[in-house]
Amino acid sequence: MQQELQMEAKLIQQLTRDESQWTLREDLKNEDDLWDNFFKILQNNNRSKLNDIPLTENEKASIKAKINHSTFFKAAQDFTGANGQYRVEFQRDDTTLEPVSLLVIDHTNIAGGTSVYEVVHQIQLGRRQELDNDRRGDVTLLINGLPVIHIELKTPKRSFLQAFNQIQKYITEQKFNGIYSNIQMFVVTNGTDTKYVAADQYLREKFLSGWVDKDNNPVRNYLDFAKDVLSIPTAHRMVADYSVLDSKQKHIILLRPYQIHAIEAIFEASGKQQSGFIWHTTGSGKTLTSYRVAHNLLSIPSLEKVIFLIDRKDLDNQTTQAFQAYANNDSIDVNETESTINLAKKLTSSDRTVLVTTRQKLQHLFKWQADDHNEAMFERLKNLKLAFIVDECHRTISPMSKMSIDKFFNIQPLWYGFTGTPIFPQNSRDENGKAARTTKQLYGPCLHSYTIKDAIRDKAVLGFHINNMQNIYQDDNTDETQLKKQYISDQHMNAVADSIIKLSYRNLGMQNINNRGYTYSAILTTSPRGMRPIDQAKRYYELFRDIKGGNSSIEVPKRIKEVLPDFPKVAITFSVTENEDASVNDQDFMKDAINDYNHEYGTSFSLDEVGAYNKNINDRLARKNDAYKPQSERLDLVIVVDRLLTGFDSQSLSTLFVDRPPMNPQNIIQAFSRTNRIFDQDKKYGNIVTFQYPQKFSEAIDDALQLYSKGGIGDVLAPTWKESKEKFDQSFNEINNYLELDAEQSILDAPEEEQKNFIKQYQEFDKAFAAIQTYDEFDDVDPAETYGLTQEKLDSMQGVYETLIDQFKKEKDDDNDDEFLDIDYELESVIDKSVNYQYILGLIQSYVPDEGELLSSGNDQETNEIEEYINDLSKTNKPLASIVSQLWQKIKAHPENFAGQQVDQLLNQMIDQVYQQRLIEFADKYNVSLDDLRFVIKNYDLHASKQAGVNQLLSRDAFKKFKEVNVDTDLKRMIDWKKQVRSQLADLYINQIAPLIEQ
């Protein structure tokens, strides 16, 4: 603890080092102090609004109620504020006065005006429930008295993840309620490794972000991080300018460092009237970055309008949907359905706004204005000072289109393109007069780059696991004419379909579904050289429909049917035309496919609504809408030609099956990057399976990765099966000494250093064992036969490991720990047979209406799924399942009574009530002290032979009271009474209390 406090002191020294930085407030020690300080600053900043009449206690209580938030997201909605100002409105006690709007924080005047920056540490966080312990937060940064950034520290001997887990524990215990509910950002560090994450009720390790400098060099030391990120004004900008609210997912999003550097690079270039492009790898959040760029460019006085340009094909694309979700809490005008005349009016208005429009509509506007007689508006248009933001900059606009737009304006617009796959001289466009052939020629210099290699290093995206199938009736050396026929043959298609079915067990995460409660999804893309691509896609759809219906020789393996009886749930998406020769057949086919889809999901689309059908597939595959998160709503496989291979984002998409020849480098990276979004602990890589030209495809992949990672692809691709197997063999050899039961028992009595060595070796073994289980080759490995790893031995070894971990958790002391030991490591190779508890809560939460709404959006399928999961939970944790069931029945009956409330908080309250009731019943039954019983239960140790506080609990006075109340008891002797109480005490903890507090 002493070393932690020394680190804390150094951090505070860094934060307060220079003028106009944070001011240390040693006098603030608890939440009451923070509230008093907040109101002091609030009144001082709003003297004129208050007419120098101090706030009454009643008025403070009214403001407190508005400052308290049930979730961090709701706090962020107020924190963002209208026009960059966080205000709170209330009615004064003197009702003759008008309602007052007080300025809480002014984000338009960062590091100036009314902004007050303070730092506090070791603030006492009070108990919210009886189950809780008293806690102290390490370091908190206050803006105008409100906690907005919280920092938890561990020593270098600990993992920064211990600090992360500690924060999550505090959130679960509702320590960050009240004034702390305004936290926007958490920082965790062990001194040598520092990360930050947006505040959320359920923090996810995958979304922790480290800091990098402008050249993408990592900044890990906590003091360097504090200097670069937590100094003023950067810290305030992090939570004001570099955060976005996703109104659809109800999350705060903090930009990653490379996004911030790109925004700053564009801002600097715009000051020089310079255009350029941003090269950020696909999947790294380009749309989010471009959104903040569009927003921030409005602060440049010389620019009258900022236009976010998209292609007409993207109108039903997630780019526009994402913009709309972000803009709900912003001033950006997202309206892509306007008429041409309305677009002209908005462009020529005096409002400083960001407009989202299509390239086609803009070009139509120029033609319409040229034909119109409104010369004043036409002249105003031609003289506009504009900046264009272009997401997916090569798909959105061609060199010729850009030339025509530039030619229209009298003042050269600024252009900022975003792409994950720039076009270089190596893969340049074909020559077409003076039209640009590369990204640099089209937009200008690269202003900031962040390659796929950078992103994988920073864990912003996953690497790729490539499987070039060698056994699908193919040979690169075969004649090309023969190959064309081979790749459209029934024999080839059956082999591909059979492989997809079998590979899905691991690639879609079925082998450990209970760890999560859901499986992943996949896309099959096909575009053969010997057939119209849509016809091949249609054939594949019919083949998978036959497989599901049992009308094919290809069978779904038993182990898949046991997990997903309705596998595979397949859909197909392509554009249906009316004028081509094959249109009639396409339309008839699509009618059948849509009917299948309607039958599967209870929808009612018709051929006239094929656009809505395609959008529904997009949304269902993306799973960003709560309606599509239940497992019953999943899509296992979507068959496409080219749709969804660019611009589509789904974290739950894990696999791309590719039955087509190698694409060009940019299309390879674009398509593969649909699979490598960060999601959960079990999703390790984006899986790519190719079925044609194995050697040529392998070479094409290497070339593409070399080009788009600036050389070197070792960190981009997953290890081969051979490499992973060798690593496992090595870890097995090191842990093998502990496989005998006698050895396992002896390690419990071994010296501490040997126990620590076992823990580290077991963690390495666990990682390696989890890794090889992701490969299909593992199906041919029998762990018991090959390695002697029977389930009994695995369970026994895990039991020894967890016993030692529990022991070290209780004994941990920073000052005495002489080496790094990761006691918060989460086992990966263990397949949990219980149901994912948080998944159930997430399903129930999606059933709860938003604040101000009355009706739930839940349907019968979701209701059935929730009840099935509660039933499954009861098989492994009956006490907890009973409470969850009670809460669910209340919410299901009257969802309007729970609008805007958090299910986890409601459940914690119910758990606390049951906990207290069980203790009261036990204390009354045996006439023991309730306070003494609480102490024993709170400190109960399953592995200890004696429990702390039991002797005091089983006092002579307690026994006397027991006999007085229970005259006819069989427990006449104190020794019998003690024996009975000890036995029942163990039963109380193991069967009634532990299931509630260990969830």
Side-chain angles (χ1 to χ4, degrees):
M1 188 65 182
Q2 189 62 36
Q3 189 177 356
E4 242 181 57
L5 291 175
Q6 291 171 356
M7 289 176 60
E8 190 176 287
K10 288 181 180 178
L11 174 62
I12 292 172
Q13 184 180 17
Q14 174 62 50
L15 292 169
T16 58
R17 183 180 299 275
D18 301 317
E19 291 185 14
S20 302
Q21 290 299 315
W22 303 93
T23 299
L24 177 61
R25 293 294 303 273
E26 289 282 17
D27 57 313
L28 305 180
K29 295 298 182 185
N30 55 46
E31 292 178 72
D32 288 338
D33 292 342
L34 292 181
W35 277 118
D36 290 343
N37 181 58
F38 166 74
F39 281 115
K40 182 179 178 181
I41 294 171
L42 183 69
Q43 292 183 103
N44 189 55
N45 285 345
N46 293 274
R47 287 183 182 277
S48 61
K49 284 281 187 181
L50 295 169
N51 294 320
D52 283 330
I53 301 174
L55 294 168
T56 67
E57 291 304 311
N58 187 53
E59 289 168 344
K60 288 181 181 178
S62 176
I63 294 172
K64 264 189 180 184
K66 294 178 181 293
I67 297 294
N68 286 340
H69 298 89
S70 59
T71 67
F72 295 119
F73 177 78
K74 290 179 180 177
Q77 288 178 303
D78 287 345
F79 183 83
T80 302
N83 300 314
Q85 292 187 329
Y86 181 3
R87 290 185 170 274
V88 59
E89 295 185 6
F90 71 103
Q91 175 64 57
R92 301 219 65 170
D93 285 351
D94 183 350
T95 55
T96 62
L97 299 174
E98 293 290 325
V100 181
S101 174
L102 301 184
L103 179 62
V104 180
I105 299 176
D106 187 1
H107 302 307
T108 67
N109 203 351
I110 292 176
T114 60
S115 298
V116 178
Y117 302 100
E118 298 165 316
V119 55
V120 296
H121 66 120
Q122 294 302 313
I123 295 292
Q124 183 175 332
L125 305 173
R127 295 187 184 188
R128 310 298 183 197
Q129 298 177 13
E130 180 64 34
L131 292 171
D132 295 347
N133 293 315
D134 290 325
R135 307 287 191 190
R136 289 183 183 273
D138 285 348
V139 179
T140 307
L141 304 182
L142 315 177
I143 299 180
N144 288 8
L146 284 184
V148 294
I149 300 175
H150 183 75
I151 308 156
E152 282 292 325
L153 302 98
K154 295 295 175 186
T155 66
K157 301 167 188 175
R158 307 288 188 193
S159 165
F160 67 85
L161 287 175
Q162 291 186 26
F164 174 81
N165 292 332
Q166 187 168 314
I167 287 176
Q168 182 60 69
K169 188 172 187 178
Y170 288 1
I171 294 172
T172 303
E173 293 176 353
Q174 301 175 42
K175 291 292 186 284
F176 293 119
N177 285 11
I179 196 167
Y180 268 91
S181 67
N182 290 276
I183 293 283
Q184 303 290 294
M185 169 177 165
F186 290 113
V187 178
V188 294
T189 182
N190 66 349
T192 58
D193 206 352
T194 308
K195 309 284 185 183
Y196 68 95
V197 68
D200 201 343
Q201 308 314 121
Y202 303 107
L203 299 179
R204 293 170 69 177
E205 180 187 331
K206 292 282 187 180
F207 296 125
L208 283 169
S209 176
W211 191 257
V212 296
D213 63 19
K214 292 180 180 179
D215 298 319
N216 296 321
N217 298 310
V219 177
R220 296 192 172 98
N221 180 274
Y222 78 119
L223 298 180
D224 293 334
F225 180 93
K227 185 177 180 181
D228 285 3
V229 184
L230 300 180
S231 61
I232 300 166
T234 307
H236 194 157
R237 287 178 180 152
M238 285 293 296
V239 294
D241 293 340
Y242 300 139
S243 69
V244 174
L245 302 188
D246 186 341
S247 61
K248 198 169 186 179
Q249 296 293 309
K250 292 183 171 52
H251 291 314
I252 305 169
I253 303 173
L254 288 178
L255 299 191
R256 292 179 179 253
Y258 58 86
Q259 295 173 306
I260 294 170
H261 294 320
I263 292 169
E264 292 174 345
I266 288 180
F267 197 81
E268 183 180 342
S270 65
K272 304 173 185 176
Q273 293 296 298
Q274 180 188 39
S275 298
F277 73 95
I278 299 296
W279 171 15
H280 281 186
T281 189
T282 303
S284 61
K286 293 189 303 301
T287 301
L288 184 58
T289 311
S290 61
Y291 173 82
R292 286 310 301 187
V293 166
H295 180 280
N296 289 1
L297 281 177
L298 282 178
S299 64
I300 299 175
S302 61
L303 289 177
E304 296 174 275
K305 289 286 189 297
V306 177
I307 298 178
F308 190 87
L309 205 60
I310 59 176
D311 185 81
R312 182 171 52 206
K313 290 180 288 187
D314 291 335
L315 286 178
D316 65 344
N317 183 283
Q318 292 169 314
T319 299
T320 305
Q321 294 178 39
F323 251 63
Q324 289 168 333
Y326 303 152
N328 271 358
N329 299 283
D330 211 333
S331 57
I332 290 183
D333 180 8
V334 182
N335 185 357
E336 76 286 350
T337 58
E338 62 205 348
S339 66
T340 303
I341 183 62
N342 284 336
L343 176 59
K345 288 179 178 178
K346 287 187 176 183
L347 282 171
T348 55
S349 75
S350 59
D351 297 333
R352 293 176 55 76
T353 58
V354 176
L355 298 177
V356 179
T357 192
T358 65
R359 181 257 307 170
Q360 292 90 343
K361 190 162 291 180
L362 191 65
Q363 290 180 307
H364 181 68
L365 170 65
F366 300 158
K367 183 178 183 301
W368 174 77
Q369 280 289 342
D371 296 338
D372 194 74
H373 298 294
N374 191 338
E375 294 183 8
M377 181 179 282
F378 188 68
E379 196 60 28
R380 169 81 175 121
L381 272 175
K382 290 183 70 69
N383 288 303
L384 279 175
K385 297 175 182 176
L386 298 173
F388 285 99
I389 309 296
V390 191
D391 192 27
E392 298 295 348
C393 64
H394 290 295
R395 189 179 73 234
T396 299
I397 191 165
S398 68
M400 297 302 293
S401 295
K402 182 176 177 295
M403 286 171 63
S404 69
I405 292 173
D406 283 339
K407 187 176 180 180
F408 174 83
F409 292 103
N410 293 331
I411 303 171
Q412 175 68 35
L414 294 176
W415 289 86
Y416 300 109
F418 284 78
T419 181
T421 49
I423 297 176
F424 299 109
Q426 299 96 309
N427 59 324
S428 62
R429 296 176 186 268
D430 292 336
E431 186 175 344
N432 182 20
K434 65 176 183 178
R437 298 179 63 192
T438 66
T439 310
K440 183 177 180 180
Q441 291 173 359
L442 188 61
Y443 288 96
C446 179
L447 301 175
H448 190 261
S449 67
Y450 187 73
T451 71
I452 191 168
K453 193 174 181 180
D454 296 323
I456 290 171
R457 177 204 62 208
D458 296 336
K459 299 182 179 178
V461 298
L462 302 172
F464 297 113
H465 178 213
I466 310 291
N467 185 357
N468 295 308
M469 299 295 286
Q470 300 286 340
N471 58 341
I472 304 294
Y473 304 100
Q474 55 193 328
D475 184 347
D476 278 12
N477 296 320
T478 305
D479 177 73
E480 178 65 25
T481 302
Q482 183 62 32
L483 281 175
K484 286 181 181 180
K485 294 179 180 178
Q486 181 175 295
Y487 287 141
I488 60 175
S489 67
D490 289 342
Q491 184 184 29
H492 172 77
M493 291 180 64
N494 285 334
V496 169
D498 189 41
S499 294
I500 288 174
I501 294 291
K502 291 175 180 176
L503 291 171
S504 292
Y505 181 72
R506 296 191 186 282
N507 287 356
L508 270 58
M510 297 181 204
Q511 84 277 15
N512 54 0
I513 182 177
N514 284 331
N515 288 358
R516 303 173 307 277
Y518 53 83
T519 51
Y520 308 126
S521 299
I523 289 175
L524 166 62
T525 174
T526 182
S527 184
R529 288 174 175 159
M531 175 182 285
R532 192 174 73 113
I534 288 177
D535 289 337
Q536 181 78 335
K538 287 155 59 176
R539 291 174 67 205
Y540 266 121
Y541 178 81
E542 290 169 340
L543 176 54
F544 280 104
R545 186 170 57 186
D546 288 344
I547 293 171
K548 183 174 182 177
N551 301 317
S552 169
S553 60
I554 301 169
E555 295 184 355
V556 177
K558 181 181 178 183
R559 64 179 182 178
I560 292 181
K561 284 184 176 180
E562 289 173 348
V563 177
L564 296 179
D566 55 355
F567 180 85
K569 297 175 80 168
V570 181
I572 185 170
T573 175
F574 59 82
S575 298
V576 179
T577 62
E578 296 185 4
N579 300 319
E580 296 180 7
D581 293 339
S583 295
V584 174
N585 287 336
D586 287 350
Q587 291 174 20
D588 289 342
F589 174 89
M590 186 55 77
K591 283 180 186 177
D592 291 339
I594 290 175
N595 285 336
D596 292 342
Y597 191 85
N598 289 338
H599 179 74
E600 183 71 65
Y601 298 108
T603 52
S604 56
F605 299 110
S606 66
L607 186 61
D608 293 336
E609 301 168 299
V610 69
Y613 159 79
N614 286 334
K615 183 179 183 300
N616 193 267
I617 288 177
N618 288 13
D619 293 343
R620 191 177 300 278
L621 192 61
R623 300 190 202 176
K624 293 186 177 181
N625 189 312
D626 286 342
Y628 305 120
K629 288 180 179 178
Q631 181 70 356
S632 58
E633 296 291 336
R634 77 183 194 281
L635 250 176
D636 296 317
L637 181 70
V638 177
I639 301 170
V640 305
V641 176
D642 292 317
R643 285 196 80 245
L644 305 181
L645 299 188
T646 58
F648 178 74
D649 175 38
S650 172
Q651 295 173 345
S652 57
L653 182 70
S654 68
T655 306
L656 178 68
F657 296 108
V658 186
D659 187 38
R660 61 191 295 168
M663 300 92 90
N664 62 32
Q666 56 267 39
N667 287 343
I668 284 178
I669 298 299
Q670 284 284 349
F672 285 17
S673 296
R674 300 312 105 205
T675 67
N676 71 336
R677 302 299 199 268
I678 300 289
F679 190 35
D680 57 26
Q681 184 179 0
D682 291 334
K683 186 180 175 185
K684 306 291 185 185
Y685 300 98
N687 297 303
I688 310 298
V689 184
T690 69
F691 296 107
Q692 295 188 20
Y693 304 94
Q695 187 59 42
K696 291 178 182 176
F697 223 132
S698 179
E699 292 170 0
I701 291 169
D702 287 350
D703 290 344
L705 292 176
Q706 287 278 0
L707 183 62
Y708 288 110
S709 63
K710 291 186 176 177
I713 61 174
D715 297 328
V716 178
L717 298 180
T720 63
W721 161 253
K722 182 180 179 182
E723 291 167 339
S724 281
K725 176 78 162 42
E726 287 175 354
K727 189 172 183 179
F728 171 74
D729 288 344
Q730 182 180 348
S731 68
F732 170 76
N733 291 333
E734 291 176 358
I735 203 76
N736 192 31
N737 295 330
Y738 301 103
L739 278 176
E740 298 300 324
L741 292 178
D742 290 344
E744 291 172 3
Q745 291 302 319
S746 66
I747 197 65
L748 293 173
D749 301 318
E752 185 176 289
E753 289 303 311
E754 191 173 339
Q755 290 178 340
K756 288 181 180 179
N757 191 49
F758 166 77
I759 288 174
K760 286 189 283 188
Q761 287 186 6
Y762 183 81
Q763 289 174 352
E764 289 302 315
F765 166 80
D766 175 69
K767 290 176 187 174
F769 195 26
I772 65 166
Q773 291 182 64
T774 65
Y775 294 81
D776 293 285
E777 289 88 343
F778 185 75
D779 287 340
D780 299 325
V781 175
D782 185 337
E785 183 178 322
T786 308
Y787 297 96
L789 290 173
T790 63
Q791 193 60 50
E792 180 186 12
K793 288 185 177 180
L794 286 169
D795 290 345
S796 178
M797 193 159 51
Q798 181 189 342
V800 172
Y801 167 80
E802 291 184 343
T803 298
L804 292 176
I805 284 292
D806 287 344
Q807 175 182 312
F808 280 109
K809 280 183 177 179
K810 291 183 178 180
E811 297 175 358
K812 67 179 180 180
D813 184 337
D814 284 334
D815 293 328
N816 297 330
D817 206 3
D818 59 356
E819 63 176 306
F820 175 81
L821 190 64
D822 187 359
I823 60 174
D824 284 326
Y825 173 82
E826 292 188 20
L827 296 178
E828 298 181 21
S829 66
V830 178
I831 296 178
D832 191 356
K833 300 300 181 186
S834 62
V835 177
N836 186 289
Y837 165 73
Q838 293 296 344
Y839 181 68
I840 300 174
L841 294 192
L843 290 177
I844 298 176
Q845 184 69 59
S846 66
Y847 202 91
V848 174
D850 288 336
E851 196 166 4
E853 297 181 1
L854 296 177
L855 299 178
S856 167
S857 60
N859 56 41
D860 290 342
Q861 274 189 317
E862 292 171 31
T863 298
N864 292 337
E865 186 164 3
I866 290 170
E867 290 173 354
E868 286 175 9
Y869 273 105
I870 293 175
N871 184 55
D872 288 343
L873 179 64
S874 68
K875 297 172 185 175
T876 56
N877 193 330
K878 196 167 185 178
L880 181 60
S882 175
I883 300 174
V884 174
S885 179
Q886 291 174 39
L887 177 59
W888 163 237
Q889 294 304 325
K890 292 178 182 178
I891 291 174
K892 184 172 69 167
H894 296 287
E896 70 279 2
N897 294 343
F898 301 91
Q901 298 187 52
Q902 291 300 115
V903 170
D904 62 325
Q905 294 182 12
L906 294 170
L907 188 65
N908 282 336
Q909 292 168 9
M910 292 180 67
I911 288 173
D912 189 52
Q913 290 171 5
V914 173
Y915 174 93
Q916 297 303 328
Q917 186 60 35
R918 296 291 178 268
L919 296 191
I920 290 170
E921 290 170 355
F922 189 93
D924 288 347
K925 183 176 181 178
Y926 294 105
N927 293 94
V928 295
S929 164
L930 183 59
D931 288 339
D932 289 344
L933 179 61
R934 283 174 176 151
F935 177 85
V936 172
I937 293 298
K938 193 170 186 178
N939 295 278
Y940 202 93
D941 183 356
L942 280 171
H943 306 293
S945 56
K946 294 182 179 180
Q947 301 302 331
V950 169
N951 289 337
Q952 184 174 340
L953 177 75
L954 303 180
S955 66
R956 188 168 296 279
D957 288 342
F959 178 61
K960 284 182 179 179
K961 289 180 182 177
F962 174 78
K963 286 205 301 182
E964 291 171 3
V965 175
N966 301 278
V967 178
D968 298 328
T969 182
D970 293 335
L971 303 175
K972 303 294 185 183
R973 297 186 304 165
M974 187 172 180
I975 189 171
D976 295 330
W977 174 77
K978 282 186 173 182
K979 185 177 180 181
Q980 174 82 352
V981 175
R982 288 180 191 275
S983 171
Q984 292 302 305
L985 191 64
D987 179 75
L988 171 69
Y989 182 82
I990 294 170
N991 296 318
Q992 298 183 58
I993 301 300
L996 301 182
I997 64 178
E998 293 176 359
Q999 32 84 17

